[in-house]
mmCIF file of all heavy atoms in Angstrom:
data_model
loop_
_atom_site.group_PDB
_atom_site.id
_atom_site.type_symbol
_atom_site.label_atom_id
_atom_site.label_comp_id
_atom_site.label_asym_id
_atom_site.label_seq_id
_atom_site.Cartn_x
_atom_site.Cartn_y
_atom_site.Cartn_z
ATOM 1 N N MET A 495 0.797 -1.148 0.012
ATOM 2 C CA MET A 495 0.022 -0.002 -0.025
ATOM 3 C C MET A 495 0.884 1.271 -0.027
ATOM 4 O O MET A 495 1.150 1.820 0.993
ATOM 5 C CB MET A 495 -0.910 -0.016 1.220
ATOM 6 C CG MET A 495 -1.771 -1.251 1.374
ATOM 7 S SD MET A 495 -2.816 -1.505 -0.054
ATOM 8 C CE MET A 495 -3.639 -3.077 0.379
ATOM 9 N N GLY A 496 1.421 1.553 -1.108
ATOM 10 C CA GLY A 496 2.310 2.745 -1.159
ATOM 11 C C GLY A 496 1.871 3.799 -2.236
ATOM 12 O O GLY A 496 2.528 3.929 -3.193
ATOM 13 N N PHE A 497 0.809 4.412 -1.953
ATOM 14 C CA PHE A 497 0.362 5.459 -2.845
ATOM 15 C C PHE A 497 0.262 6.833 -2.107
ATOM 16 O O PHE A 497 -0.721 7.151 -1.474
ATOM 17 C CB PHE A 497 -1.053 5.164 -3.364
ATOM 18 C CG PHE A 497 -1.085 3.985 -4.263
ATOM 19 C CD1 PHE A 497 -1.404 2.710 -3.741
ATOM 20 C CD2 PHE A 497 -0.693 4.032 -5.611
ATOM 21 C CE1 PHE A 497 -1.416 1.576 -4.498
ATOM 22 C CE2 PHE A 497 -0.653 2.931 -6.407
ATOM 23 C CZ PHE A 497 -1.032 1.725 -5.898
ATOM 24 N N PRO A 498 1.402 7.509 -2.048
ATOM 25 C CA PRO A 498 1.534 8.820 -1.346
ATOM 26 C C PRO A 498 0.422 9.738 -1.651
ATOM 27 O O PRO A 498 -0.165 10.433 -0.807
ATOM 28 C CB PRO A 498 2.903 9.318 -1.747
ATOM 29 C CG PRO A 498 3.677 8.114 -2.194
ATOM 30 C CD PRO A 498 2.630 7.191 -2.768
ATOM 31 N N GLU A 499 0.109 9.840 -2.989
ATOM 32 C CA GLU A 499 -0.876 10.857 -3.340
ATOM 33 C C GLU A 499 -2.326 10.509 -2.774
ATOM 34 O O GLU A 499 -3.028 11.270 -2.251
ATOM 35 C CB GLU A 499 -1.010 10.892 -4.878
ATOM 36 C CG GLU A 499 0.246 11.518 -5.463
ATOM 37 C CD GLU A 499 0.085 11.611 -6.922
ATOM 38 O OE1 GLU A 499 -0.949 11.286 -7.489
ATOM 39 O OE2 GLU A 499 0.996 12.122 -7.617
ATOM 40 N N ALA A 500 -2.625 9.192 -2.904
ATOM 41 C CA ALA A 500 -3.863 8.726 -2.320
ATOM 42 C C ALA A 500 -3.957 8.998 -0.769
ATOM 43 O O ALA A 500 -4.974 9.487 -0.282
ATOM 44 C CB ALA A 500 -4.095 7.240 -2.595
ATOM 45 N N GLU A 501 -2.902 8.644 -0.117
ATOM 46 C CA GLU A 501 -2.793 8.878 1.348
ATOM 47 C C GLU A 501 -2.975 10.321 1.684
ATOM 48 O O GLU A 501 -3.703 10.751 2.507
ATOM 49 C CB GLU A 501 -1.518 8.307 1.854
ATOM 50 C CG GLU A 501 -1.503 6.761 1.805
ATOM 51 C CD GLU A 501 -0.234 6.307 2.370
ATOM 52 O OE1 GLU A 501 0.566 7.058 2.977
ATOM 53 O OE2 GLU A 501 0.000 5.033 2.314
ATOM 54 N N ALA A 502 -2.342 11.109 0.836
ATOM 55 C CA ALA A 502 -2.370 12.633 1.066
ATOM 56 C C ALA A 502 -3.759 13.069 0.935
ATOM 57 O O ALA A 502 -4.250 13.919 1.702
ATOM 58 C CB ALA A 502 -1.441 13.323 0.109
ATOM 59 N N ARG A 503 -4.487 12.533 -0.030
ATOM 60 C CA ARG A 503 -5.844 12.995 -0.229
ATOM 61 C C ARG A 503 -6.771 12.536 0.965
ATOM 62 O O ARG A 503 -7.608 13.262 1.439
ATOM 63 C CB ARG A 503 -6.459 12.369 -1.529
ATOM 64 C CG ARG A 503 -5.859 12.984 -2.791
ATOM 65 C CD ARG A 503 -6.495 12.393 -4.031
ATOM 66 N NE ARG A 503 -5.982 12.996 -5.193
ATOM 67 C CZ ARG A 503 -6.382 12.669 -6.437
ATOM 68 N NH1 ARG A 503 -7.333 11.822 -6.589
ATOM 69 N NH2 ARG A 503 -5.810 13.284 -7.453
ATOM 70 N N LEU A 504 -6.452 11.348 1.410
ATOM 71 C CA LEU A 504 -7.225 10.891 2.598
ATOM 72 C C LEU A 504 -7.097 11.810 3.746
ATOM 73 O O LEU A 504 -8.030 11.957 4.576
ATOM 74 C CB LEU A 504 -6.808 9.439 2.955
ATOM 75 C CG LEU A 504 -7.336 8.403 1.958
ATOM 76 C CD1 LEU A 504 -6.728 7.021 2.303
ATOM 77 C CD2 LEU A 504 -8.851 8.270 1.851
ATOM 78 N N PHE A 505 -5.865 12.261 3.983
ATOM 79 C CA PHE A 505 -5.597 13.044 5.127
ATOM 80 C C PHE A 505 -5.678 14.536 4.833
ATOM 81 O O PHE A 505 -5.258 15.356 5.697
ATOM 82 C CB PHE A 505 -4.173 12.672 5.660
ATOM 83 C CG PHE A 505 -4.160 11.362 6.249
ATOM 84 C CD1 PHE A 505 -3.505 10.261 5.675
ATOM 85 C CD2 PHE A 505 -4.727 11.131 7.525
ATOM 86 C CE1 PHE A 505 -3.500 9.093 6.188
ATOM 87 C CE2 PHE A 505 -4.707 9.874 8.058
ATOM 88 C CZ PHE A 505 -4.063 8.813 7.387
ATOM 89 N N GLY A 506 -6.152 14.929 3.657
ATOM 90 C CA GLY A 506 -6.204 16.331 3.411
ATOM 91 C C GLY A 506 -4.953 16.819 2.597
ATOM 92 O O GLY A 506 -5.090 17.446 1.595
ATOM 93 N N GLY A 507 -3.750 16.368 3.033
ATOM 94 C CA GLY A 507 -2.607 16.467 2.209
ATOM 95 C C GLY A 507 -2.050 17.870 2.253
ATOM 96 O O GLY A 507 -0.918 18.092 2.775
ATOM 97 N N VAL A 508 -2.765 18.786 1.626
ATOM 98 C CA VAL A 508 -2.163 20.143 1.400
ATOM 99 C C VAL A 508 -2.874 21.179 2.188
ATOM 100 O O VAL A 508 -4.109 21.247 2.201
ATOM 101 C CB VAL A 508 -2.215 20.477 -0.118
ATOM 102 C CG1 VAL A 508 -1.571 21.861 -0.332
ATOM 103 C CG2 VAL A 508 -1.427 19.448 -0.906
ATOM 104 N N TRP A 509 -2.145 22.006 2.859
ATOM 105 C CA TRP A 509 -2.721 23.114 3.578
ATOM 106 C C TRP A 509 -2.189 24.434 3.044
ATOM 107 O O TRP A 509 -1.053 24.540 2.658
ATOM 108 C CB TRP A 509 -2.332 22.994 5.092
ATOM 109 C CG TRP A 509 -2.964 21.863 5.708
ATOM 110 C CD1 TRP A 509 -2.617 20.514 5.582
ATOM 111 C CD2 TRP A 509 -4.022 21.835 6.643
ATOM 112 N NE1 TRP A 509 -3.388 19.726 6.319
ATOM 113 C CE2 TRP A 509 -4.285 20.492 7.029
ATOM 114 C CE3 TRP A 509 -4.836 22.802 7.207
ATOM 115 C CZ2 TRP A 509 -5.302 20.073 7.880
ATOM 116 C CZ3 TRP A 509 -5.825 22.455 8.084
ATOM 117 C CH2 TRP A 509 -6.022 21.102 8.459
ATOM 118 N N ILE A 510 -3.043 25.416 2.955
ATOM 119 C CA ILE A 510 -2.771 26.642 2.339
ATOM 120 C C ILE A 510 -2.651 27.726 3.477
ATOM 121 O O ILE A 510 -3.530 27.796 4.310
ATOM 122 C CB ILE A 510 -3.771 27.146 1.350
ATOM 123 C CG1 ILE A 510 -4.019 26.087 0.271
ATOM 124 C CG2 ILE A 510 -3.417 28.466 0.771
ATOM 125 C CD1 ILE A 510 -2.850 25.748 -0.571
ATOM 126 N N CYS A 511 -1.546 28.384 3.432
ATOM 127 C CA CYS A 511 -1.313 29.467 4.415
ATOM 128 C C CYS A 511 -2.222 30.635 4.078
ATOM 129 O O CYS A 511 -2.201 31.162 2.928
ATOM 130 C CB CYS A 511 0.201 29.895 4.408
ATOM 131 S SG CYS A 511 0.492 31.251 5.552
ATOM 132 N N MET A 512 -2.906 31.087 5.052
ATOM 133 C CA MET A 512 -3.820 32.178 4.902
ATOM 134 C C MET A 512 -3.015 33.559 4.883
ATOM 135 O O MET A 512 -3.630 34.593 4.564
ATOM 136 C CB MET A 512 -4.925 32.215 5.919
ATOM 137 C CG MET A 512 -5.812 30.973 5.823
ATOM 138 S SD MET A 512 -7.094 30.950 7.022
ATOM 139 C CE MET A 512 -8.131 32.315 6.584
ATOM 140 N N ASN A 513 -1.753 33.449 5.250
ATOM 141 C CA ASN A 513 -1.043 34.718 5.317
ATOM 142 C C ASN A 513 -0.243 34.950 4.019
ATOM 143 O O ASN A 513 -0.258 36.021 3.414
ATOM 144 C CB ASN A 513 -0.024 34.578 6.441
ATOM 145 C CG ASN A 513 0.681 35.879 6.734
ATOM 146 O OD1 ASN A 513 0.093 37.014 6.644
ATOM 147 N ND2 ASN A 513 1.976 35.808 6.959
ATOM 148 N N CYS A 514 0.467 33.851 3.486
ATOM 149 C CA CYS A 514 1.256 34.090 2.264
ATOM 150 C C CYS A 514 0.818 33.109 1.175
ATOM 151 O O CYS A 514 1.389 33.111 0.134
ATOM 152 C CB CYS A 514 2.710 33.848 2.649
ATOM 153 S SG CYS A 514 3.136 32.152 3.045
ATOM 154 N N ASN A 515 -0.227 32.335 1.453
ATOM 155 C CA ASN A 515 -0.762 31.453 0.422
ATOM 156 C C ASN A 515 0.241 30.314 -0.051
ATOM 157 O O ASN A 515 0.071 29.768 -1.083
ATOM 158 C CB ASN A 515 -1.248 32.244 -0.768
ATOM 159 C CG ASN A 515 -2.463 33.060 -0.498
ATOM 160 O OD1 ASN A 515 -3.310 32.624 0.272
ATOM 161 N ND2 ASN A 515 -2.524 34.239 -1.037
ATOM 162 N N ALA A 516 1.154 30.050 0.760
ATOM 163 C CA ALA A 516 2.087 29.009 0.510
ATOM 164 C C ALA A 516 1.435 27.668 0.712
ATOM 165 O O ALA A 516 0.652 27.488 1.659
ATOM 166 C CB ALA A 516 3.354 29.115 1.352
ATOM 167 N N ARG A 517 1.816 26.687 -0.076
ATOM 168 C CA ARG A 517 1.317 25.312 0.050
ATOM 169 C C ARG A 517 2.143 24.562 1.038
ATOM 170 O O ARG A 517 3.432 24.520 0.872
ATOM 171 C CB ARG A 517 1.272 24.622 -1.275
ATOM 172 C CG ARG A 517 0.008 24.897 -2.013
ATOM 173 C CD ARG A 517 0.027 24.172 -3.387
ATOM 174 N NE ARG A 517 0.404 25.134 -4.399
ATOM 175 C CZ ARG A 517 0.493 24.845 -5.678
ATOM 176 N NH1 ARG A 517 0.272 23.544 -6.053
ATOM 177 N NH2 ARG A 517 0.761 25.674 -6.613
ATOM 178 N N ASN A 518 1.522 23.984 2.071
ATOM 179 C CA ASN A 518 2.265 23.179 3.091
ATOM 180 C C ASN A 518 1.687 21.804 2.975
ATOM 181 O O ASN A 518 0.575 21.596 3.322
ATOM 182 C CB ASN A 518 2.059 23.732 4.464
ATOM 183 C CG ASN A 518 2.672 25.120 4.589
ATOM 184 O OD1 ASN A 518 3.856 25.237 5.067
ATOM 185 N ND2 ASN A 518 1.968 26.249 4.195
ATOM 186 N N ARG A 519 2.611 20.926 2.639
ATOM 187 C CA ARG A 519 2.109 19.488 2.623
ATOM 188 C C ARG A 519 2.347 18.804 3.934
ATOM 189 O O ARG A 519 3.310 19.023 4.612
ATOM 190 C CB ARG A 519 2.959 18.759 1.574
ATOM 191 C CG ARG A 519 2.806 19.239 0.148
ATOM 192 C CD ARG A 519 3.443 18.344 -0.897
ATOM 193 N NE ARG A 519 2.865 17.034 -0.880
ATOM 194 C CZ ARG A 519 3.274 16.060 -1.634
ATOM 195 N NH1 ARG A 519 4.259 16.179 -2.476
ATOM 196 N NH2 ARG A 519 2.610 14.914 -1.616
ATOM 197 N N SER A 520 1.301 17.987 4.302
ATOM 198 C CA SER A 520 1.429 17.328 5.557
ATOM 199 C C SER A 520 0.882 15.871 5.358
ATOM 200 O O SER A 520 -0.057 15.672 4.672
ATOM 201 C CB SER A 520 0.473 18.066 6.580
ATOM 202 O OG SER A 520 0.608 17.381 7.815
ATOM 203 N N VAL A 521 1.631 14.983 5.997
ATOM 204 C CA VAL A 521 1.250 13.567 5.834
ATOM 205 C C VAL A 521 -0.061 13.307 6.504
ATOM 206 O O VAL A 521 -0.968 12.674 5.883
ATOM 207 C CB VAL A 521 2.299 12.656 6.411
ATOM 208 C CG1 VAL A 521 1.851 11.216 6.369
ATOM 209 C CG2 VAL A 521 3.642 12.861 5.730
ATOM 210 N N LYS A 522 -0.276 13.841 7.660
ATOM 211 C CA LYS A 522 -1.527 13.653 8.349
ATOM 212 C C LYS A 522 -1.718 14.828 9.326
ATOM 213 O O LYS A 522 -0.747 15.284 9.973
ATOM 214 C CB LYS A 522 -1.552 12.320 9.054
ATOM 215 C CG LYS A 522 -0.441 12.127 10.075
ATOM 216 C CD LYS A 522 -0.537 10.848 10.726
ATOM 217 C CE LYS A 522 0.582 10.567 11.717
ATOM 218 N NZ LYS A 522 0.443 9.243 12.273
ATOM 219 N N GLY A 523 -2.938 15.227 9.417
ATOM 220 C CA GLY A 523 -3.243 16.371 10.363
ATOM 221 C C GLY A 523 -2.772 17.703 9.798
ATOM 222 O O GLY A 523 -2.321 17.884 8.678
ATOM 223 N N LYS A 524 -2.998 18.683 10.695
ATOM 224 C CA LYS A 524 -2.660 20.071 10.302
ATOM 225 C C LYS A 524 -1.210 20.386 10.735
ATOM 226 O O LYS A 524 -0.803 20.054 11.790
ATOM 227 C CB LYS A 524 -3.595 20.962 10.980
ATOM 228 C CG LYS A 524 -3.425 22.436 10.648
ATOM 229 C CD LYS A 524 -4.438 23.173 11.432
ATOM 230 C CE LYS A 524 -4.313 24.715 11.124
ATOM 231 N NZ LYS A 524 -5.269 25.550 11.804
ATOM 232 N N PRO A 525 -0.494 20.972 9.783
ATOM 233 C CA PRO A 525 0.852 21.398 10.153
ATOM 234 C C PRO A 525 0.887 22.384 11.296
ATOM 235 O O PRO A 525 -0.038 23.161 11.469
ATOM 236 C CB PRO A 525 1.401 22.022 8.855
ATOM 237 C CG PRO A 525 0.468 21.590 7.790
ATOM 238 C CD PRO A 525 -0.830 21.312 8.423
ATOM 239 N N GLU A 526 1.945 22.396 12.098
ATOM 240 C CA GLU A 526 1.971 23.338 13.200
ATOM 241 C C GLU A 526 2.093 24.757 12.761
ATOM 242 O O GLU A 526 1.383 25.644 13.329
ATOM 243 C CB GLU A 526 3.249 23.033 14.043
ATOM 244 C CG GLU A 526 3.155 21.714 14.772
ATOM 245 C CD GLU A 526 4.372 21.497 15.688
ATOM 246 O OE1 GLU A 526 5.154 22.466 15.766
ATOM 247 O OE2 GLU A 526 4.506 20.452 16.195
ATOM 248 N N LYS A 527 2.783 24.985 11.588
ATOM 249 C CA LYS A 527 2.887 26.357 11.138
ATOM 250 C C LYS A 527 3.308 26.319 9.607
ATOM 251 O O LYS A 527 3.872 25.343 9.179
ATOM 252 C CB LYS A 527 3.845 27.171 11.963
ATOM 253 C CG LYS A 527 5.189 26.569 12.014
ATOM 254 C CD LYS A 527 6.099 27.369 12.974
ATOM 255 C CE LYS A 527 7.427 26.752 13.094
ATOM 256 N NZ LYS A 527 8.301 27.548 13.995
ATOM 257 N N CYS A 528 3.164 27.451 8.988
ATOM 258 C CA CYS A 528 3.571 27.535 7.570
ATOM 259 C C CYS A 528 5.076 27.395 7.509
ATOM 260 O O CYS A 528 5.830 27.992 8.338
ATOM 261 C CB CYS A 528 3.151 28.905 7.051
ATOM 262 S SG CYS A 528 3.756 29.324 5.417
ATOM 263 N N ARG A 529 5.550 26.669 6.458
ATOM 264 C CA ARG A 529 6.968 26.513 6.261
ATOM 265 C C ARG A 529 7.656 27.761 5.846
ATOM 266 O O ARG A 529 8.816 27.996 6.027
ATOM 267 C CB ARG A 529 7.199 25.387 5.273
ATOM 268 C CG ARG A 529 6.845 23.982 5.806
ATOM 269 C CD ARG A 529 7.009 23.018 4.663
ATOM 270 N NE ARG A 529 8.350 23.037 4.169
ATOM 271 C CZ ARG A 529 8.758 22.352 3.101
ATOM 272 N NH1 ARG A 529 7.834 21.542 2.439
ATOM 273 N NH2 ARG A 529 9.994 22.415 2.609
ATOM 274 N N ARG A 530 6.875 28.646 5.138
ATOM 275 C CA ARG A 530 7.541 29.807 4.521
ATOM 276 C C ARG A 530 7.510 30.940 5.499
ATOM 277 O O ARG A 530 8.597 31.572 5.761
ATOM 278 C CB ARG A 530 6.733 30.197 3.323
ATOM 279 C CG ARG A 530 7.238 31.496 2.698
ATOM 280 C CD ARG A 530 6.422 31.881 1.508
ATOM 281 N NE ARG A 530 6.901 31.135 0.316
ATOM 282 C CZ ARG A 530 6.383 31.260 -0.898
ATOM 283 N NH1 ARG A 530 5.460 32.118 -1.118
ATOM 284 N NH2 ARG A 530 6.840 30.595 -1.941
ATOM 285 N N CYS A 531 6.393 31.286 6.081
ATOM 286 C CA CYS A 531 6.309 32.511 6.924
ATOM 287 C C CYS A 531 6.112 32.203 8.423
ATOM 288 O O CYS A 531 6.233 33.095 9.250
ATOM 289 C CB CYS A 531 5.214 33.397 6.446
ATOM 290 S SG CYS A 531 3.544 32.797 6.769
ATOM 291 N N GLY A 532 5.814 30.931 8.712
ATOM 292 C CA GLY A 532 5.663 30.565 10.155
ATOM 293 C C GLY A 532 4.337 30.817 10.729
ATOM 294 O O GLY A 532 4.110 30.656 11.890
ATOM 295 N N SER A 533 3.436 31.352 9.877
ATOM 296 C CA SER A 533 2.097 31.628 10.394
ATOM 297 C C SER A 533 1.356 30.347 10.706
ATOM 298 O O SER A 533 1.498 29.298 10.175
ATOM 299 C CB SER A 533 1.267 32.375 9.304
ATOM 300 O OG SER A 533 -0.037 32.564 9.700
ATOM 301 N N LYS A 534 0.472 30.464 11.760
ATOM 302 C CA LYS A 534 -0.243 29.267 12.215
ATOM 303 C C LYS A 534 -1.641 29.275 11.522
ATOM 304 O O LYS A 534 -2.482 28.408 11.809
ATOM 305 C CB LYS A 534 -0.392 29.256 13.697
ATOM 306 C CG LYS A 534 0.970 29.035 14.365
ATOM 307 C CD LYS A 534 0.751 28.956 15.871
ATOM 308 C CE LYS A 534 2.087 28.737 16.589
ATOM 309 N NZ LYS A 534 1.973 28.734 18.095
ATOM 310 N N ARG A 535 -1.914 30.274 10.678
ATOM 311 C CA ARG A 535 -3.198 30.280 10.044
ATOM 312 C C ARG A 535 -3.166 29.526 8.759
ATOM 313 O O ARG A 535 -2.704 29.979 7.735
ATOM 314 C CB ARG A 535 -3.580 31.788 9.718
ATOM 315 C CG ARG A 535 -3.834 32.595 10.999
ATOM 316 C CD ARG A 535 -4.216 34.032 10.629
ATOM 317 N NE ARG A 535 -4.604 34.781 11.799
ATOM 318 C CZ ARG A 535 -5.873 34.828 12.305
ATOM 319 N NH1 ARG A 535 -6.808 34.188 11.595
ATOM 320 N NH2 ARG A 535 -6.129 35.524 13.339
ATOM 321 N N LEU A 536 -3.650 28.286 8.869
ATOM 322 C CA LEU A 536 -3.605 27.476 7.655
ATOM 323 C C LEU A 536 -5.022 26.869 7.463
ATOM 324 O O LEU A 536 -5.851 26.650 8.389
ATOM 325 C CB LEU A 536 -2.698 26.237 7.978
ATOM 326 C CG LEU A 536 -1.222 26.601 8.245
ATOM 327 C CD1 LEU A 536 -0.481 25.352 8.624
ATOM 328 C CD2 LEU A 536 -0.571 27.268 7.004
ATOM 329 N N ARG A 537 -5.319 26.747 6.227
ATOM 330 C CA ARG A 537 -6.679 26.167 5.846
ATOM 331 C C ARG A 537 -6.406 24.958 4.896
ATOM 332 O O ARG A 537 -5.507 24.997 4.129
ATOM 333 C CB ARG A 537 -7.548 27.178 5.141
ATOM 334 C CG ARG A 537 -7.000 27.660 3.814
ATOM 335 C CD ARG A 537 -8.016 28.560 3.075
ATOM 336 N NE ARG A 537 -7.411 29.025 1.875
ATOM 337 C CZ ARG A 537 -7.444 28.328 0.715
ATOM 338 N NH1 ARG A 537 -7.995 27.196 0.647
ATOM 339 N NH2 ARG A 537 -6.926 28.896 -0.401
ATOM 340 N N PRO A 538 -7.263 23.898 5.057
ATOM 341 C CA PRO A 538 -7.070 22.795 4.131
ATOM 342 C C PRO A 538 -7.462 23.078 2.729
ATOM 343 O O PRO A 538 -8.470 23.697 2.486
ATOM 344 C CB PRO A 538 -7.963 21.729 4.748
ATOM 345 C CG PRO A 538 -9.021 22.551 5.471
ATOM 346 C CD PRO A 538 -8.357 23.746 5.978
ATOM 347 N N LYS A 539 -6.559 22.702 1.762
ATOM 348 C CA LYS A 539 -6.947 22.961 0.404
ATOM 349 C C LYS A 539 -7.906 22.021 -0.095
ATOM 350 O O LYS A 539 -8.877 22.375 -0.832
ATOM 351 C CB LYS A 539 -5.602 22.854 -0.448
ATOM 352 C CG LYS A 539 -5.919 23.074 -1.965
ATOM 353 C CD LYS A 539 -4.659 23.021 -2.767
ATOM 354 C CE LYS A 539 -4.962 23.274 -4.229
ATOM 355 N NZ LYS A 539 -3.799 23.101 -5.115
ATOM 356 N N ALA A 540 -7.769 20.722 0.252
ATOM 357 C CA ALA A 540 -8.698 19.704 -0.195
ATOM 358 C C ALA A 540 -9.974 19.781 0.485
ATOM 359 O O ALA A 540 -10.075 19.681 1.736
ATOM 360 C CB ALA A 540 -8.033 18.376 0.014
ATOM 361 N N LYS A 541 -11.045 19.976 -0.221
ATOM 362 C CA LYS A 541 -12.386 20.034 0.359
ATOM 363 C C LYS A 541 -12.973 18.619 0.355
ATOM 364 O O LYS A 541 -12.406 17.720 -0.153
ATOM 365 C CB LYS A 541 -13.208 21.055 -0.364
ATOM 366 C CG LYS A 541 -12.739 22.457 -0.203
ATOM 367 C CD LYS A 541 -13.694 23.426 -0.937
ATOM 368 C CE LYS A 541 -13.176 24.859 -0.822
ATOM 369 N NZ LYS A 541 -14.062 25.835 -1.462
ATOM 370 N N GLU A 542 -14.174 18.485 0.873
ATOM 371 C CA GLU A 542 -14.797 17.220 0.952
ATOM 372 C C GLU A 542 -15.037 16.741 -0.424
ATOM 373 O O GLU A 542 -15.533 17.408 -1.254
ATOM 374 C CB GLU A 542 -16.117 17.326 1.711
ATOM 375 C CG GLU A 542 -15.955 17.719 3.161
ATOM 376 C CD GLU A 542 -17.286 17.774 3.895
ATOM 377 O OE1 GLU A 542 -18.325 17.453 3.183
ATOM 378 O OE2 GLU A 542 -17.278 18.146 5.077
ATOM 379 N N PRO A 543 -14.613 15.455 -0.674
ATOM 380 C CA PRO A 543 -14.809 14.915 -2.017
ATOM 381 C C PRO A 543 -16.221 14.699 -2.387
ATOM 382 O O PRO A 543 -17.072 14.319 -1.453
ATOM 383 C CB PRO A 543 -14.052 13.559 -1.947
ATOM 384 C CG PRO A 543 -14.057 13.223 -0.465
ATOM 385 C CD PRO A 543 -13.990 14.586 0.240
ATOM 386 N N ARG A 544 -16.581 14.834 -3.650
ATOM 387 C CA ARG A 544 -17.956 14.682 -4.090
ATOM 388 C C ARG A 544 -18.197 13.125 -4.277
ATOM 389 O O ARG A 544 -17.338 12.411 -4.655
ATOM 390 C CB ARG A 544 -18.249 15.401 -5.385
ATOM 391 C CG ARG A 544 -18.218 16.867 -5.226
ATOM 392 C CD ARG A 544 -18.521 17.522 -6.502
ATOM 393 N NE ARG A 544 -18.479 18.917 -6.399
ATOM 394 C CZ ARG A 544 -18.739 19.820 -7.470
ATOM 395 N NH1 ARG A 544 -18.935 19.292 -8.656
ATOM 396 N NH2 ARG A 544 -18.665 21.138 -7.328
ATOM 397 N N LYS A 545 -19.383 12.750 -3.925
ATOM 398 C CA LYS A 545 -19.691 11.347 -4.134
ATOM 399 C C LYS A 545 -21.063 11.262 -4.935
ATOM 400 O O LYS A 545 -21.930 12.091 -4.763
ATOM 401 C CB LYS A 545 -19.903 10.643 -2.839
ATOM 402 C CG LYS A 545 -18.545 10.351 -2.158
ATOM 403 C CD LYS A 545 -18.661 9.450 -0.929
ATOM 404 C CE LYS A 545 -17.292 9.217 -0.359
ATOM 405 N NZ LYS A 545 -17.463 8.347 0.895
HETATM 406 ZN ZN1 ZN B 852 2.752 31.386 5.193
#
């Protein structure tokens, strides 16, 4: 079971910094802070999948 992209989707994967709009990838859960600017204001890029 080695599909990083699929796993990333399951866990949300990408978080967008609301301060600088940088993309922060996270294996699971919310990153502590933005990698670029250090802001803690992050929002998940991946929304709920349609079914
Ligand atoms: Zn940032």
